[in-house]
Amino acid sequence: ALLITDDCINCDVCEPECPNEAIYMGPEIYEIDPNKCTECVGHYEVPQCKEVCPVNCIPFNPAWRETPEQLLAKYERLQAEA
Ligand code: SF4
C-alpha cells in the first residue's frame, strides 16, 4: 500500500484519481486506507495518486510491503465486494 506523508497540502487532486476509493480526508490531511490500496494493481501500470501529487508526498508504506501477487489478490477481493 501507499502512504500520504504530512507534507500533504490538501490539494484534493489525488482523491478522485484512486480507482479503489482508498483515499479520504483524515483529521488533518488526506489518508490512504491500506486495506483498499492496491498500488493501482489491476487498474493501471503505475499508482495514479503518485502521478498527480504536486508535492510528491505519497511513498510506499514501509509497514505495508506487499508482493504483486498480494496486491492482485487484494484487487480481486475488492472487485468481489463491489
Ligand atoms: Fe495531499 Fe498530494 Fe493528495 Fe494533494 S495530491 S491531497 S498534496 S497527497
Side-chain angles (χ1 to χ4, degrees):
L2 300 171
L3 168 74
I4 294 175
T5 74
D6 59 10
D7 288 333
C8 175
I9 56 172
N10 293 335
C11 73
D12 308 323
V13 304
C14 59
E15 190 271 337
E17 298 299 327
C18 179
N20 295 310
E21 297 183 2
I23 302 175
Y24 60 96
M25 186 67 201
E28 293 181 0
I29 56 172
Y30 276 87
E31 298 182 17
I32 293 176
D33 180 349
N35 290 303
K36 289 186 173 180
C37 174
T38 67
E39 301 173 15
C40 283
V41 167
H43 294 281
Y44 299 104
E45 290 296 315
V46 293
Q48 299 297 290
C49 59
K50 286 173 75 77
E51 292 286 295
V52 297
C53 180
V55 294
N56 198 18
C57 69
I58 316 181
F60 292 97
N61 187 336
W64 283 79
R65 301 304 296 268
E66 295 155 291
T67 65
E69 291 74 22
Q70 288 174 313
L71 292 166
L72 191 60
K74 190 191 296 185
Y75 164 78
E76 287 169 353
R77 173 176 59 77
L78 290 169
Q79 292 299 113
E81 289 173 358

